[in-house]
Amino acid sequence: MARFTIPRDVYFGENTIEELKNIAGNKAFIVISGGSIKRNGGLDKIEGYLKEAGIETRLFEGVEADPSDETVMRGVAEMNDFQPDLIIGVGGGSPIDAAKAMWIFYENPEFTFEEAAVPFNLPELRRKARFIAIPTTSGTGTEVTAFSIITSKETELKYPIADFNITPDVAIVDTNLAQTMPAHLVAHTGMDALTHSLEAYVSIMANELTDALAMKSIEMIQEHLVESFKGNEEARAKMHLSQCLAGMSFSNAILGIVHSMAHKTGRMFNIPHGCANAIYLPAAIRFNAEVAGEKYADIAKRLGLQGTTTAELVDALVGFVEFLNRSMEIPASLQEFGVPEKAFLENLDIIAEGAVGDPCTSTNPREISVEQMKELFVAAYYGK
């Protein structure tokens, strides 16, 4: 039996944050990262619409790029004081992930991060509050997913929380909110979305529902990502919807080794998540093609890429990924990104072991050993 879970309501298109005027509730706790949502006027609109609905608000800001357990518990303390019946995560993946984790411990104060990190182990939520997610970047898809990644401040280990309980109740995918992203963020988040769809499509958990969403997302990325990078407003709107489709797909089909590799090196080498995915994706496709070649070839054919054999079509798909990276000035290797060779080699065993043990590896189409993972990292480091 397969299961497919997404938010009860997804509002999408221009000016859809106006739907907040129709939300029922008394108190809304709004979680953001920094000042961009303030500077572009988005926060004022959100708070204004909630006021029209008769909802009192409190703002929590300052969520880091890798949200920490300390930040989460600081938010929980404020929630306990405010007692909201609505929790609203606004921004990229970080504030929405942090808000999801705050929600867990607000409703279940005796629960621990160690317990939360056990897949599909969360207690029931929604006894105190409902959750609304409003993305402002076009990549993570977290507004429709069952995931939250939180980092331990003390150990720097990540708590990967996976449970359908934290799938938001409402997602508001307002395409206007994606228009102010800088070009490099468009590139990184766009390649994150592509990786989500490609990994979901070949995952051992893939099914007809997830395949349909993943493929449509990939087709939209082919058509719109580079133009979005160049600043085309219509393309940016389309990419905001594409990444949402990708999120729906991977939330249910899960991911693979590209994300495992990115999870273990992003913080260590200070590589933005989407950029790391973009660098690792070509090597991972070639590795997985031994067992998933037909599905990769299917993607290539649907994109109109050239090739008559499975091997040729896989090569064409890798070439497509590399074309996107070049077009958006993403480095072709870890070395080109600037990771020092000495630091890479000294940590190679650690990152390889960690990536093999990452939860995303369990749904990768091809099993991988630590030695094979080291070979993949080496290939990605030198661009071979």
Side-chain angles (χ1 to χ4, degrees), residues 207-254:
N207 56 61
E208 290 86 350
L209 300 184
T210 62
D211 280 358
L213 290 161
M215 195 62 240
K216 182 60 178 178
S217 176
I218 294 166
E219 290 171 349
M220 291 176 71
I221 288 168
Q222 180 189 38
E223 183 174 358
H224 300 294
L225 178 52
V226 174
E227 287 304 307
S228 177
F229 175 76
K230 294 176 181 177
N232 181 284
E233 291 185 3
E234 177 64 18
R236 289 203 172 187
K238 294 294 187 182
M239 279 302 304
H240 209 43
L241 301 182
S242 172
Q243 64 87 33
C244 183
L245 298 179
M248 292 180 184
S249 182
F250 90 81
S251 183
N252 291 276
I254 321 298

Short mmCIF file of all heavy atoms in Angstrom, two decimals, residues 207-254:
data_model
loop_
_atom_site.label_atom_id
_atom_site.label_comp_id
_atom_site.label_asym_id
_atom_site.label_seq_id
_atom_site.Cartn_x
_atom_site.Cartn_y
_atom_site.Cartn_z
N ASN A 207 5.95 6.23 -7.20
CA ASN A 207 4.72 5.61 -7.69
C ASN A 207 4.11 6.53 -8.74
O ASN A 207 4.69 7.57 -9.08
CB ASN A 207 3.75 5.34 -6.53
CG ASN A 207 3.42 6.61 -5.74
OD1 ASN A 207 2.88 7.56 -6.28
ND2 ASN A 207 3.75 6.61 -4.45
N GLU A 208 2.96 6.14 -9.25
CA GLU A 208 2.36 6.90 -10.35
C GLU A 208 2.06 8.35 -9.96
O GLU A 208 2.22 9.27 -10.77
CB GLU A 208 1.07 6.21 -10.82
CG GLU A 208 1.29 4.89 -11.53
CD GLU A 208 1.40 3.71 -10.57
OE1 GLU A 208 1.51 3.94 -9.33
OE2 GLU A 208 1.39 2.57 -11.05
N LEU A 209 1.62 8.58 -8.73
CA LEU A 209 1.29 9.94 -8.31
C LEU A 209 2.55 10.80 -8.20
O LEU A 209 2.58 11.94 -8.67
CB LEU A 209 0.56 9.91 -6.97
CG LEU A 209 -0.78 9.15 -6.92
CD1 LEU A 209 -1.42 9.31 -5.54
CD2 LEU A 209 -1.74 9.65 -7.99
N THR A 210 3.58 10.25 -7.57
CA THR A 210 4.82 11.03 -7.40
C THR A 210 5.53 11.23 -8.74
O THR A 210 6.11 12.29 -8.98
CB THR A 210 5.76 10.37 -6.38
OG1 THR A 210 6.15 9.07 -6.84
CG2 THR A 210 5.09 10.24 -5.02
N ASP A 211 5.47 10.21 -9.62
CA ASP A 211 6.11 10.35 -10.93
C ASP A 211 5.48 11.48 -11.74
O ASP A 211 6.18 12.25 -12.41
CB ASP A 211 5.98 9.05 -11.73
CG ASP A 211 7.01 8.00 -11.32
OD1 ASP A 211 7.86 8.30 -10.44
OD2 ASP A 211 6.98 6.89 -11.89
N ALA A 212 4.16 11.58 -11.70
CA ALA A 212 3.48 12.61 -12.48
C ALA A 212 3.89 14.01 -12.02
O ALA A 212 4.18 14.89 -12.85
CB ALA A 212 1.96 12.45 -12.34
N LEU A 213 3.96 14.21 -10.72
CA LEU A 213 4.36 15.52 -10.19
C LEU A 213 5.82 15.81 -10.48
O LEU A 213 6.18 16.93 -10.87
CB LEU A 213 4.11 15.54 -8.68
CG LEU A 213 2.63 15.55 -8.26
CD1 LEU A 213 2.48 15.11 -6.81
CD2 LEU A 213 2.04 16.94 -8.46
N ALA A 214 6.68 14.80 -10.30
CA ALA A 214 8.11 15.00 -10.54
C ALA A 214 8.37 15.36 -12.00
O ALA A 214 9.14 16.27 -12.31
CB ALA A 214 8.89 13.75 -10.14
N MET A 215 7.73 14.62 -12.92
CA MET A 215 7.99 14.85 -14.34
C MET A 215 7.51 16.22 -14.78
O MET A 215 8.20 16.92 -15.53
CB MET A 215 7.33 13.76 -15.17
CG MET A 215 7.84 13.69 -16.59
SD MET A 215 9.60 13.31 -16.71
CE MET A 215 10.21 14.77 -17.56
N LYS A 216 6.33 16.65 -14.31
CA LYS A 216 5.85 17.97 -14.67
C LYS A 216 6.79 19.05 -14.13
O LYS A 216 7.07 20.04 -14.82
CB LYS A 216 4.43 18.20 -14.13
CG LYS A 216 3.84 19.55 -14.50
CD LYS A 216 3.75 19.74 -16.01
CE LYS A 216 3.11 21.06 -16.37
NZ LYS A 216 3.05 21.29 -17.84
N SER A 217 7.29 18.84 -12.93
CA SER A 217 8.23 19.80 -12.36
C SER A 217 9.50 19.89 -13.20
O SER A 217 10.00 20.98 -13.49
CB SER A 217 8.58 19.40 -10.92
OG SER A 217 9.56 20.25 -10.39
N ILE A 218 10.03 18.74 -13.62
CA ILE A 218 11.25 18.72 -14.43
C ILE A 218 11.02 19.44 -15.76
O ILE A 218 11.88 20.22 -16.23
CB ILE A 218 11.71 17.27 -14.67
CG1 ILE A 218 12.14 16.62 -13.35
CG2 ILE A 218 12.89 17.23 -15.66
CD1 ILE A 218 12.30 15.10 -13.43
N GLU A 219 9.88 19.19 -16.38
CA GLU A 219 9.58 19.87 -17.65
C GLU A 219 9.50 21.38 -17.46
O GLU A 219 10.01 22.15 -18.31
CB GLU A 219 8.25 19.34 -18.20
CG GLU A 219 8.32 17.91 -18.69
CD GLU A 219 6.96 17.33 -19.03
OE1 GLU A 219 5.94 17.98 -18.69
OE2 GLU A 219 6.92 16.25 -19.63
N MET A 220 8.90 21.84 -16.38
CA MET A 220 8.80 23.27 -16.11
C MET A 220 10.18 23.87 -15.83
O MET A 220 10.47 25.00 -16.23
CB MET A 220 7.86 23.53 -14.95
CG MET A 220 6.40 23.22 -15.26
SD MET A 220 5.31 23.43 -13.83
CE MET A 220 5.29 25.23 -13.68
N ILE A 221 11.02 23.12 -15.14
CA ILE A 221 12.38 23.60 -14.86
C ILE A 221 13.16 23.74 -16.15
O ILE A 221 13.88 24.73 -16.36
CB ILE A 221 13.08 22.64 -13.88
CG1 ILE A 221 12.46 22.79 -12.47
CG2 ILE A 221 14.59 22.91 -13.82
CD1 ILE A 221 12.87 21.71 -11.49
N GLN A 222 13.04 22.77 -17.05
CA GLN A 222 13.71 22.87 -18.34
C GLN A 222 13.30 24.15 -19.07
O GLN A 222 14.14 24.84 -19.66
CB GLN A 222 13.38 21.66 -19.21
CG GLN A 222 14.05 21.71 -20.59
CD GLN A 222 13.53 20.62 -21.52
OE1 GLN A 222 12.34 20.30 -21.51
NE2 GLN A 222 14.43 20.04 -22.30
N GLU A 223 12.02 24.47 -19.00
CA GLU A 223 11.51 25.62 -19.75
C GLU A 223 11.80 26.96 -19.08
O GLU A 223 12.03 27.95 -19.76
CB GLU A 223 9.99 25.47 -19.94
CG GLU A 223 9.37 26.57 -20.78
CD GLU A 223 7.90 26.34 -21.08
OE1 GLU A 223 7.37 25.29 -20.67
OE2 GLU A 223 7.29 27.22 -21.73
N HIS A 224 11.84 26.98 -17.75
CA HIS A 224 11.80 28.27 -17.07
C HIS A 224 12.99 28.62 -16.18
O HIS A 224 13.16 29.79 -15.83
CB HIS A 224 10.53 28.35 -16.19
CG HIS A 224 9.26 28.22 -16.96
ND1 HIS A 224 8.85 29.17 -17.87
CD2 HIS A 224 8.31 27.25 -16.96
CE1 HIS A 224 7.69 28.79 -18.40
NE2 HIS A 224 7.34 27.64 -17.86
N LEU A 225 13.83 27.64 -15.77
CA LEU A 225 14.84 27.96 -14.75
C LEU A 225 15.86 28.98 -15.23
O LEU A 225 16.15 29.96 -14.52
CB LEU A 225 15.54 26.68 -14.28
CG LEU A 225 16.65 26.90 -13.23
CD1 LEU A 225 16.17 27.72 -12.04
CD2 LEU A 225 17.21 25.55 -12.76
N VAL A 226 16.44 28.79 -16.40
CA VAL A 226 17.48 29.73 -16.86
C VAL A 226 16.88 31.12 -17.06
O VAL A 226 17.50 32.13 -16.71
CB VAL A 226 18.15 29.21 -18.14
CG1 VAL A 226 19.12 30.27 -18.69
CG2 VAL A 226 18.91 27.91 -17.86
N GLU A 227 15.66 31.19 -17.59
CA GLU A 227 15.02 32.49 -17.77
C GLU A 227 14.71 33.13 -16.41
O GLU A 227 14.80 34.35 -16.25
CB GLU A 227 13.73 32.34 -18.58
CG GLU A 227 13.97 32.09 -20.06
CD GLU A 227 14.83 33.15 -20.71
OE1 GLU A 227 14.48 34.35 -20.58
OE2 GLU A 227 15.86 32.81 -21.31
N SER A 228 14.36 32.31 -15.43
CA SER A 228 14.15 32.84 -14.08
C SER A 228 15.44 33.41 -13.53
O SER A 228 15.46 34.48 -12.90
CB SER A 228 13.63 31.72 -13.18
OG SER A 228 13.48 32.16 -11.85
N PHE A 229 16.54 32.72 -13.77
CA PHE A 229 17.86 33.20 -13.35
C PHE A 229 18.17 34.56 -13.97
O PHE A 229 18.77 35.44 -13.32
CB PHE A 229 18.92 32.17 -13.75
CG PHE A 229 20.34 32.58 -13.49
CD1 PHE A 229 20.87 32.56 -12.21
CD2 PHE A 229 21.17 32.98 -14.53
CE1 PHE A 229 22.19 32.94 -11.97
CE2 PHE A 229 22.49 33.36 -14.30
CZ PHE A 229 23.00 33.34 -13.01
N LYS A 230 17.74 34.76 -15.20
CA LYS A 230 17.98 36.02 -15.90
C LYS A 230 17.04 37.13 -15.45
O LYS A 230 17.20 38.28 -15.86
CB LYS A 230 17.84 35.81 -17.41
CG LYS A 230 18.90 34.90 -18.01
CD LYS A 230 18.64 34.66 -19.50
CE LYS A 230 19.67 33.74 -20.11
NZ LYS A 230 19.37 33.45 -21.55
N GLY A 231 16.02 36.79 -14.62
CA GLY A 231 15.15 37.81 -14.07
C GLY A 231 13.76 37.90 -14.68
O GLY A 231 13.00 38.79 -14.32
N ASN A 232 13.42 36.98 -15.58
CA ASN A 232 12.11 37.00 -16.20
C ASN A 232 11.02 36.72 -15.16
O ASN A 232 11.03 35.69 -14.50
CB ASN A 232 12.05 35.95 -17.31
CG ASN A 232 10.71 35.92 -18.04
OD1 ASN A 232 9.73 35.43 -17.52
ND2 ASN A 232 10.70 36.47 -19.24
N GLU A 233 10.07 37.65 -15.02
CA GLU A 233 9.08 37.54 -13.95
C GLU A 233 8.14 36.36 -14.14
O GLU A 233 7.79 35.68 -13.17
CB GLU A 233 8.28 38.85 -13.86
CG GLU A 233 9.11 40.02 -13.34
CD GLU A 233 8.26 41.27 -13.13
OE1 GLU A 233 7.03 41.21 -13.32
OE2 GLU A 233 8.84 42.30 -12.75
N GLU A 234 7.71 36.12 -15.36
CA GLU A 234 6.81 34.99 -15.61
C GLU A 234 7.54 33.67 -15.31
O GLU A 234 6.95 32.74 -14.74
CB GLU A 234 6.33 35.01 -17.06
CG GLU A 234 5.44 33.84 -17.44
CD GLU A 234 4.12 33.79 -16.68
OE1 GLU A 234 3.72 34.81 -16.09
OE2 GLU A 234 3.50 32.70 -16.67
N ALA A 235 8.80 33.59 -15.69
CA ALA A 235 9.57 32.38 -15.42
C ALA A 235 9.75 32.16 -13.91
O ALA A 235 9.69 31.02 -13.43
CB ALA A 235 10.94 32.46 -16.10
N ARG A 236 9.93 33.24 -13.18
CA ARG A 236 10.05 33.11 -11.72
C ARG A 236 8.75 32.60 -11.11
O ARG A 236 8.76 31.79 -10.18
CB ARG A 236 10.47 34.43 -11.10
CG ARG A 236 11.90 34.78 -11.42
CD ARG A 236 12.53 35.74 -10.46
NE ARG A 236 13.95 35.86 -10.75
CZ ARG A 236 14.81 36.52 -10.00
NH1 ARG A 236 14.41 37.11 -8.89
NH2 ARG A 236 16.09 36.58 -10.33
N ALA A 237 7.63 33.07 -11.62
CA ALA A 237 6.35 32.59 -11.13
C ALA A 237 6.19 31.10 -11.42
O ALA A 237 5.75 30.33 -10.55
CB ALA A 237 5.21 33.38 -11.77
N LYS A 238 6.57 30.68 -12.62
CA LYS A 238 6.46 29.27 -12.97
C LYS A 238 7.39 28.41 -12.12
O LYS A 238 7.03 27.29 -11.72
CB LYS A 238 6.78 29.08 -14.46
CG LYS A 238 5.78 29.71 -15.41
CD LYS A 238 4.42 29.04 -15.33
CE LYS A 238 3.48 29.58 -16.40
NZ LYS A 238 2.12 28.97 -16.30
N MET A 239 8.58 28.90 -11.82
CA MET A 239 9.51 28.13 -10.99
C MET A 239 9.00 27.99 -9.57
O MET A 239 9.24 26.97 -8.90
CB MET A 239 10.90 28.80 -10.99
CG MET A 239 11.75 28.47 -12.20
SD MET A 239 12.03 26.69 -12.43
CE MET A 239 12.74 26.25 -10.84
N HIS A 240 8.26 28.99 -9.09
CA HIS A 240 7.71 28.90 -7.74
C HIS A 240 6.68 27.76 -7.66
O HIS A 240 6.58 27.07 -6.64
CB HIS A 240 7.07 30.23 -7.34
CG HIS A 240 7.09 30.51 -5.88
ND1 HIS A 240 8.19 30.26 -5.08
CD2 HIS A 240 6.14 31.03 -5.04
CE1 HIS A 240 7.91 30.60 -3.83
NE2 HIS A 240 6.67 31.05 -3.78
N LEU A 241 5.94 27.57 -8.73
CA LEU A 241 4.98 26.47 -8.78
C LEU A 241 5.69 25.14 -9.02
O LEU A 241 5.32 24.12 -8.43
CB LEU A 241 3.95 26.72 -9.89
CG LEU A 241 3.13 28.01 -9.77
CD1 LEU A 241 2.12 28.10 -10.90
CD2 LEU A 241 2.42 28.09 -8.42
N SER A 242 6.72 25.16 -9.86
CA SER A 242 7.45 23.93 -10.15
C SER A 242 8.07 23.32 -8.90
O SER A 242 8.00 22.11 -8.69
CB SER A 242 8.54 24.21 -11.19
OG SER A 242 9.38 23.09 -11.35
N GLN A 243 8.67 24.17 -8.08
CA GLN A 243 9.32 23.64 -6.88
C GLN A 243 8.28 23.07 -5.90
O GLN A 243 8.58 22.15 -5.15
CB GLN A 243 10.17 24.71 -6.20
CG GLN A 243 9.41 25.91 -5.65
CD GLN A 243 8.89 25.72 -4.24
OE1 GLN A 243 9.52 25.05 -3.44
NE2 GLN A 243 7.75 26.32 -3.95
N CYS A 244 7.05 23.60 -5.95
CA CYS A 244 5.99 23.07 -5.10
C CYS A 244 5.59 21.66 -5.57
O CYS A 244 5.39 20.76 -4.74
CB CYS A 244 4.79 24.01 -5.13
SG CYS A 244 3.43 23.52 -4.04
N LEU A 245 5.50 21.47 -6.87
CA LEU A 245 5.22 20.14 -7.41
C LEU A 245 6.32 19.16 -7.01
O LEU A 245 6.05 18.01 -6.62
CB LEU A 245 5.12 20.19 -8.94
CG LEU A 245 4.01 21.05 -9.55
CD1 LEU A 245 4.10 21.01 -11.06
CD2 LEU A 245 2.65 20.60 -9.07
N ALA A 246 7.58 19.61 -7.09
CA ALA A 246 8.71 18.77 -6.70
C ALA A 246 8.60 18.38 -5.22
O ALA A 246 8.87 17.24 -4.84
CB ALA A 246 10.03 19.48 -6.97
N GLY A 247 8.19 19.35 -4.39
CA GLY A 247 8.04 19.08 -2.96
C GLY A 247 6.98 18.02 -2.70
O GLY A 247 7.17 17.11 -1.87
N MET A 248 5.84 18.13 -3.39
CA MET A 248 4.79 17.12 -3.23
C MET A 248 5.30 15.74 -3.61
O MET A 248 4.96 14.73 -2.97
CB MET A 248 3.59 17.48 -4.09
CG MET A 248 2.84 18.72 -3.66
SD MET A 248 1.45 19.03 -4.79
CE MET A 248 0.83 20.58 -4.13
N SER A 249 6.12 15.68 -4.66
CA SER A 249 6.64 14.40 -5.12
C SER A 249 7.61 13.79 -4.12
O SER A 249 7.43 12.66 -3.66
CB SER A 249 7.33 14.57 -6.48
OG SER A 249 7.80 13.33 -6.96
N PHE A 250 8.64 14.55 -3.73
CA PHE A 250 9.65 13.94 -2.89
C PHE A 250 9.20 13.74 -1.45
O PHE A 250 9.72 12.87 -0.74
CB PHE A 250 10.98 14.70 -2.95
CG PHE A 250 11.17 15.81 -1.95
CD1 PHE A 250 11.58 15.54 -0.65
CD2 PHE A 250 11.00 17.14 -2.30
CE1 PHE A 250 11.78 16.56 0.27
CE2 PHE A 250 11.20 18.17 -1.39
CZ PHE A 250 11.59 17.86 -0.10
N SER A 251 8.20 14.50 -1.01
CA SER A 251 7.69 14.27 0.34
C SER A 251 7.10 12.88 0.47
O SER A 251 7.10 12.29 1.55
CB SER A 251 6.63 15.32 0.69
OG SER A 251 6.16 15.15 2.02
N ASN A 252 6.62 12.34 -0.65
CA ASN A 252 5.99 11.03 -0.64
C ASN A 252 6.87 9.92 -1.20
O ASN A 252 6.73 8.76 -0.81
CB ASN A 252 4.67 11.10 -1.42
CG ASN A 252 3.63 11.94 -0.71
OD1 ASN A 252 2.93 11.44 0.16
ND2 ASN A 252 3.54 13.22 -1.04
N ALA A 253 7.77 10.26 -2.11
CA ALA A 253 8.67 9.25 -2.69
C ALA A 253 10.04 9.24 -2.00
O ALA A 253 10.81 8.31 -2.18
CB ALA A 253 8.86 9.49 -4.19
N ILE A 254 10.31 10.28 -1.24
CA ILE A 254 11.60 10.49 -0.54
C ILE A 254 12.71 10.78 -1.57
O ILE A 254 12.42 11.05 -2.74
CB ILE A 254 11.93 9.32 0.41
CG1 ILE A 254 10.67 8.82 1.12
CG2 ILE A 254 12.97 9.74 1.44
CD1 ILE A 254 9.97 9.83 2.02
#
